Amino acid sequence: MKKINVPTLIAISALSWILVNITHEFFGHAVFGILSGLKLNAFSTSTAFFNMDWNSYINQHGYTTLRLFLLGGVLMNFVTGVIALLILKFNKPLSSQMHLFLWLFSSFSFIIIVMNLISVTFIGGGDLPQIISTFNNQENLKIIVLIIGFITMIAGYIIIQKNFMPEIKGHRSVLISITLIPVITAIIIQTLSLLKSPFAYLPPSQNHLLASVLAYFHFLLWALIVNVIPLSSKKNSLEKVVTEKSIIWIAISLIFIVFYIFILGPGIGSFEGHSSLNG
């Protein structure tokens, strides 16, 4: 069996996470806000900013726009994650690089969705808790969200793993490589992108770099679970897991990494007027 090409694996891992997070922040939050008629002032690797008085807007127009804006990130992660999974399931003649990319993209999307539905809902302060706070029957709605979260966690994990993971007996090092390397890569890429962010050096309650630690914990937990409970299918080929060298994937990934860390990290647009930066 051929060995995994680590530079290509790192490149695919970085590209997968970057696209998942851009999907969440831009195509989710930012685009949903724009489609609702709001003016986008800035967005980065950790937020989309609309410089407006939400209280005044809600008094005039109600909560619908706010709910759509907050829900957009998780919703787009779900839609694109499912699309990636369907391609992975039904388009069998894929290269090993594309096979791994689709699995990592759907897996990273799955992690963000479950984190928001369960952990963030328990802790409070994130997108879904803010949506819940706009309704009257908040406790019942919180329970419903948590139930959906646990169903998504169990069903999503089984479906994603069964459509990718081959019989891994005797190849434990392969499993460790395709889980730990992507997770470590995502953590490093996200951290580097936040070092120049205006939100990276705020007090703990407003610090986006510290807030990312919650996501990092979920990445590591996912890697641990996949290694401890490696659900697999004999239909899946081990060769599809072993990523061969690809200069094209490495080059494309490098372009996205530079853009993500040095341009999107500090933010595109102006965060002037952001409540977290006014104090």
Side-chain angles (χ1 to χ4, degrees):
M1 187 184 73
K2 298 178 181 178
K3 291 184 178 180
I4 291 175
N5 183 264
V6 175
T8 303
L9 174 57
I10 292 173
I12 294 172
S13 303
L15 186 60
S16 301
W17 167 245
I18 288 170
L19 292 178
V20 165
N21 199 39
I22 289 177
T23 297
H24 184 93
E25 298 295 350
F26 182 74
F27 294 103
H29 293 310
V31 170
F32 271 57
I34 293 170
L35 292 176
S36 298
L38 306 181
K39 180 184 176 182
L40 177 67
N41 292 85
F43 78 100
S44 67
T45 62
S46 61
T47 190
F49 173 53
F50 296 88
N51 189 11
M52 57 184 294
D53 184 345
W54 277 107
N55 290 327
S56 176
Y57 185 90
I58 290 168
N59 288 334
Q60 294 181 39
H61 304 283
Y63 285 108
T64 302
T65 297
L66 176 63
R67 290 167 181 164
L68 287 173
F69 163 67
L70 292 171
L71 184 62
V74 172
L75 184 59
M76 285 305 298
N77 282 140
F78 179 81
V79 171
T80 55
V82 168
I83 291 173
L85 184 60
L86 289 173
I87 297 172
L88 181 65
K89 180 178 178 61
F90 293 109
N91 195 348
K92 295 302 180 183
L94 294 169
S95 66
S96 61
Q97 296 90 354
M98 181 59 74
H99 199 75
L100 182 69
F101 169 78
L102 291 170
W103 177 64
L104 287 175
F105 185 93
S106 58
S107 294
F108 282 142
S109 300
F110 163 76
I111 293 168
I112 296 303
I113 293 166
V114 170
M115 180 184 75
N116 277 276
L117 288 173
I118 299 177
S119 301
V120 174
T121 300
F122 265 126
I123 297 169
D127 297 333
L128 294 183
Q130 289 185 62
I131 295 174
I132 292 171
S133 69
T134 66
F135 291 90
N136 293 325
N137 203 345
Q138 295 178 20
E139 286 302 315
N140 287 342
L141 186 56
K142 181 177 179 180
I143 292 171
I144 292 172
V145 171
L146 289 171
I147 291 173
I148 293 172
F150 282 108
I151 293 173
T152 302
M153 178 179 67
I154 296 169
Y157 180 75
I158 293 172
I159 294 170
I160 292 172
Q161 295 307 107
K162 286 288 188 178
N163 280 285
F164 172 80
M165 196 64 66
E167 292 288 345
I168 213 74
K169 291 180 181 179
H171 302 282
R172 179 60 62 175
S173 62
V174 173
L175 182 59
I176 294 173
S177 296
I178 64 173
T179 52
L180 282 183
I181 290 177
V183 161
I184 293 171
T185 300
I187 290 173
I188 292 173
I189 292 293
Q190 187 62 21
T191 301
L192 290 175
S193 78
L194 289 170
L195 291 180
K196 292 293 185 179
S197 167
F199 303 98
Y201 305 99
L202 296 174
S205 62
Q206 300 169 314
N207 191 305
H208 290 197
L209 187 56
L210 289 178
S212 294
V213 173
L214 179 64
Y216 300 165
F217 168 77
H218 285 81
F219 290 158
L220 293 169
L221 182 61
W222 169 82
L224 176 63
I225 293 172
V226 173
N227 278 275
V228 174
I229 314 173
L231 301 181
S232 60
S233 173
K234 293 181 179 179
K235 296 179 181 179
N236 301 321
S237 169
L238 186 61
E239 294 299 322
K240 288 291 187 179
V241 175
V242 180
T243 308
E244 298 177 352
K245 183 178 179 180
S246 172
I247 298 299
I248 294 176
W249 278 93
I250 293 173
I252 293 173
S253 181
L254 282 173
I255 294 170
F256 273 87
I257 289 171
V258 170
F259 168 77
Y260 192 77
I261 292 175
F262 296 104
I263 298 176
L264 194 55
I268 296 175
S270 173
F271 289 105
E272 184 179 352
H274 195 291
S275 59
S276 296
L277 304 175
N278 288 338

